[in-house]
Amino acid sequence: MLLKKNQRFTWTTQCESAFLKLKRELCSDNVLIPFDPQLPLTLTTDASPVGIAAILSHQINECERPIAYASRSLTSSEMNYSQLDREALAIMFGVNYFFDYLYGKQFTLVTDNQPLSKILHQNKSLPKMTSARLLRYASFLSGFNYKMKCKTDTEIEIADCLSRAPIQRTKITTGNSINEEVSQLFAQKVFQISSEVITYDTIKQESAKDLEIQKIIQHLHSKVRDELYTLENGILFYQVRILIPNALRQQILKEIHSTHIGIVKMKQLARTYVYWPKIDSKIEKLVKSCEECAKTQHNPPKAPIHPREEPEENWERLHIDYAGPLDGYHFLIAVDAKSKWTEIRTSKEAPSTAVTIKLLEDIFSTHAGILRSLCLITAFTSKIFIDYCKHGGISQMFIQWRT
């Protein structure tokens, strides 16, 4: 009845008496049992927007009998975690709180979060694409011998209840070292890109105004599936890179591009510190339109020279060209591609199709063999010469002059 809208909440003496009686029963011998190292262990955890809880229990005749309960309220920064991170924090809290019972023993780890049970599964390697905080949680849990199990909300009602009504703790040390490590990592990223314009405060303020970023933050608080985003003190991170709000993106590009280091190095630098959708294409467009970058970039690599394949027989391919004039003579030089034998014919007449055919006929009559191709310059392109080669079954291979 109290969960319905427009229903007035009234806490009577009867309610207080029932609540105290329930607490006494939960702590009595009727519910709690002593720890027995010979019995199977189960750790059940759950998280809510205000607290986290863990229950250590024994499995007796397919029934869970609790050994001890633990819960605590979330700090102000932890309340800003995504729901997935809060569920993972509850596991870290439970494992650390009951460390003396769990370390070196096999136990079953129970959660109601399906994605988290896959990320932290005992038979899987550390996930490569997830938030920085979850990566460190997974690394810590790899030192324990556990089996992951996922149950529904209705199957872990006690843990759910304790997480929604946690014990208020003024000093929280459980699991703090890992969270401090993640916070320092994120703070270092912000420090590395800080300038007169880009500061921690400006990123935080512009992130609060950016509708796209705020939509992602709302999604993190309401959804429980695995995300690559982490919210840290008002700044959103994509893995370990800062998600830059739209208003600061041009300034970030200007900072990265200030030394004209080129597309590849700019992308490498961006992938270390900052992120936003299509950042690579923005970098490419900026560098390609920059005159200074064009002056300093390397020439494209030259294509390797591929030599012509050597013929199988002599006089299969002949390379010809003219030299001269010298002392009134023109010289037709013909070189066999395989044997490198050279034939030279002289003529007082200027090179022409008729003269060339006459000199070639003289060479062909001297040497036996089947000529299949002529390698020559583009000057030998008259129709008469082309017809002559076709009639003789000779293919022409043209080359260009290089100066």
Side-chain angles (χ1 to χ4, degrees), residues 176-208:
N176 243 17
S177 58
I178 294 180
N179 291 328
E180 288 177 1
E181 178 188 348
V182 176
S183 298
Q184 290 175 3
L185 172 66
F186 290 151
Q188 185 181 16
K189 293 293 181 178
V190 177
F191 176 76
Q192 292 289 344
I193 68 167
S194 294
S195 63
E196 294 181 359
V197 180
I198 306 297
T199 64
Y200 185 95
D201 291 333
T202 55
I203 298 175
K204 186 175 180 179
Q205 292 168 6
E206 294 298 334
S207 295

Side-chain angles (χ1 to χ4, degrees), residues 325-338:
L326 180 64
D327 296 333
Y329 287 92
H330 296 272
F331 304 88
L332 177 66
I333 303 174
V335 180
D336 176 40
K338 183 173 179 62

Side-chain angles (χ1 to χ4, degrees), residues 43 45-48 52-53 72 74 81-96 109 111-113 115-117 119-120 130-131 133-138 140-141 148 174-175 178-179 224 226:
L43 179 67
T45 64
D46 196 24
S48 73
I52 52 180
R72 73 166 175 85
L74 295 174
Y81 286 4
S82 68
Q83 181 58 29
L84 192 73
D85 283 349
R86 286 198 293 263
E87 296 281 0
L89 180 64
I91 293 177
M92 293 293 295
F93 166 73
V95 171
N96 278 282
L109 187 56
T111 180
D112 64 346
N113 191 293
L116 195 60
S117 66
I119 296 172
L120 303 180
T130 190
S131 66
R133 183 172 287 111
L134 288 182
L135 280 174
R136 280 156 177 79
Y137 288 170
F140 173 79
L141 291 174
M148 203 76 189
T174 310
I178 294 180
N179 291 328
V224 294
D226 184 21

Side-chain angles (χ1 to χ4, degrees), residues 300-306:
K302 295 181 179 180
I305 299 176
H306 178 69

Side-chain angles (χ1 to χ4, degrees), residues 87-133:
E87 296 281 0
L89 180 64
I91 293 177
M92 293 293 295
F93 166 73
V95 171
N96 278 282
Y97 193 89
F98 298 113
F99 182 88
D100 293 338
Y101 298 92
L102 301 175
Y103 189 73
K105 286 183 62 65
Q106 187 178 41
F107 63 96
T108 301
L109 187 56
V110 178
T111 180
D112 64 346
N113 191 293
Q114 186 70 34
L116 195 60
S117 66
K118 295 179 180 179
I119 296 172
L120 303 180
H121 197 276
Q122 71 278 2
N123 293 329
K124 291 187 178 180
S125 58
L126 294 180
K128 296 180 180 179
M129 296 294 288
T130 190
S131 66
R133 183 172 287 111

Side-chain angles (χ1 to χ4, degrees), residues 187-293:
Q188 185 181 16
K189 293 293 181 178
V190 177
F191 176 76
Q192 292 289 344
I193 68 167
S194 294
S195 63
E196 294 181 359
V197 180
I198 306 297
T199 64
Y200 185 95
D201 291 333
T202 55
I203 298 175
K204 186 175 180 179
Q205 292 168 6
E206 294 298 334
S207 295
K209 300 175 186 177
D210 194 294
L211 297 179
E212 180 184 351
I213 291 179
Q214 290 305 309
K215 185 177 179 181
I216 296 174
I217 293 175
Q218 292 175 4
H219 177 82
L220 287 175
H221 285 157
S222 59
K223 301 296 182 181
V224 294
R225 70 166 184 253
D226 184 21
E227 294 289 351
L228 301 178
Y229 297 99
T230 302
L231 182 63
E232 182 71 22
N233 294 328
I235 296 180
L236 198 61
F237 289 82
Y238 179 83
Q239 293 184 302
V240 293
R241 298 156 62 186
I242 307 167
L243 181 58
I244 302 297
N246 189 56
L248 300 178
R249 291 174 184 176
Q250 284 300 122
Q251 182 63 32
I252 289 291
L253 285 178
K254 183 179 178 181
E255 294 282 347
I256 299 176
H257 181 242
S258 59
T259 54
H260 305 281
I261 55 178
I263 292 178
V264 174
K265 291 185 178 179
M266 279 185 66
K267 286 183 178 180
Q268 290 175 346
L269 196 60
R271 288 167 185 166
T272 305
Y273 300 106
V274 296
Y275 169 81
W276 65 81
K278 299 182 180 179
I279 183 174
D280 287 352
S281 62
K282 295 293 183 182
I283 291 174
E284 291 174 6
K285 184 177 180 181
L286 177 62
V287 174
K288 289 178 181 178
S289 62
C290 176
E291 184 178 349
E292 290 298 322
C293 289

Side-chain angles (χ1 to χ4, degrees), residues 349-390:
E349 302 179 43
S352 64
T353 299
V355 171
T356 302
I357 292 174
K358 180 181 178 181
L359 295 178
L360 285 176
E361 289 287 350
D362 183 62
I363 294 174
F364 296 158
S365 64
T366 305
H367 299 278
I370 303 175
L371 186 64
R372 295 181 181 177
S373 62
L374 277 174
C375 190
L376 32 79
I377 61 174
T378 53
F380 298 90
T381 55
S382 68
K383 187 176 184 305
I384 296 175
F385 192 80
I386 293 174
D387 291 340
Y388 168 76
C389 291
K390 284 183 179 180

Side-chain angles (χ1 to χ4, degrees), residues 44-48 50-56 68-74 90 93-94 97-98 158-172 174:
T44 305
T45 64
D46 196 24
S48 73
V50 294
I52 52 180
I55 301 174
L56 184 68
Y69 306 100
S71 66
R72 73 166 175 85
S73 56
L74 295 174
F93 166 73
Y97 193 89
F98 298 113
I158 299 177
D160 181 72
C161 177
L162 291 175
S163 69
R164 297 179 186 279
I167 297 175
Q168 299 293 329
R169 297 180 184 270
T170 56
K171 186 177 181 180
I172 300 171
T174 310

